[in-house]
Amino acid sequence: MSGTGAGWSRGGRAMAAGKLMLAWVALLWLLEVMDVLSGHALDGLGVTPRTPSELVDVVPSAFIHFGFAHLAANTVPLLVLGFLAALAGLRRFLLVCALIVLVDGLGVWLIAPAHTNTAGASGLIFGLFGFLLVSGFVERRPLGVLVGVVIAAIWGGSILAGLAPTQTGVSWQGHLLGLLAGVTAAFLLRRPKASRALTS
């Protein structure tokens, strides 16, 4: 019985996390193909701030991109960071993603510049970065701390650049809100001590 649990916590958990993220990214690419074929009709699912009718686009906006170059730039970090975050459990991962997407989308709706249209997975990416960066420290897991240090070394420079308000065509507000939402999720959704001992 303990052998089965260990197998799921390692190989099985990694397999499930990998399949989920591959399916997630495949969905994003399928949606972008549909967007191009429809004459970019899906671009309207981005968030235009402070327009009440746009609140329904808070979640869909995280799955829509403005062209294949935009999507390609988000694909690798979403795959890697999503996979690492999902290793701790798919249910918890989906809760983390839901919190990030909702907080990020609502925040963009509230504070983004007027007459802009914001969409893309970058807010979620920044959120997953923030989540992975601090969750190991919050839960006092050495492996989690190491993961946070490694992703900070690899993506830290890009994350800081993405927060710069001077960039044009980039929603630094969405990036910042996503990052803060991810850090918040690490505290709100931290695992119980017994669970940490099994999966660290």
Side-chain angles (χ1 to χ4, degrees), residues 8-18 20-21 80-93 131-132 141 143 147 191 199-200:
W8 169 246
S9 66
R10 292 180 179 85
R13 200 175 286 254
M15 182 69 71
L20 173 61
M21 292 316 302
V80 175
L81 297 177
F83 172 76
L84 291 173
L87 286 176
L90 299 189
R91 180 177 161 186
R92 178 176 179 240
F93 169 71
F131 174 78
L132 290 168
R141 290 182 298 114
L143 182 57
V147 168
R191 291 176 296 170
T199 58
S200 293

Side-chain angles (χ1 to χ4, degrees), residues 67-86:
F68 288 110
H70 183 202
L71 175 54
N74 284 338
T75 293
V76 172
L78 180 61
L79 267 176
V80 175
L81 297 177
F83 172 76
L84 291 173

Side-chain angles (χ1 to χ4, degrees), residues 89-102 185 189:
L90 299 189
R91 180 177 161 186
R92 178 176 179 240
F93 169 71
L94 292 174
L95 286 173
V96 168
C97 290
L99 177 62
I100 294 170
V101 168
L102 283 172
L189 300 174

Side-chain angles (χ1 to χ4, degrees), residues 10-70:
R10 292 180 179 85
R13 200 175 286 254
M15 182 69 71
K19 287 181 178 179
L20 173 61
M21 292 316 302
L22 286 173
W24 193 313
V25 169
L27 173 62
L28 299 186
W29 280 89
L30 176 61
L31 288 172
E32 187 55 34
V33 169
M34 293 172 60
D35 184 45
V36 170
L37 293 177
S38 66
H40 299 286
L42 298 184
D43 287 354
L45 295 176
V47 174
T48 300
R50 295 170 297 283
T51 302
S53 62
E54 289 292 303
L55 286 171
V56 297
D57 292 334
V58 161
V59 173
S61 65
F63 295 84
I64 302 302
H65 290 79
F66 300 131
F68 288 110
H70 183 202

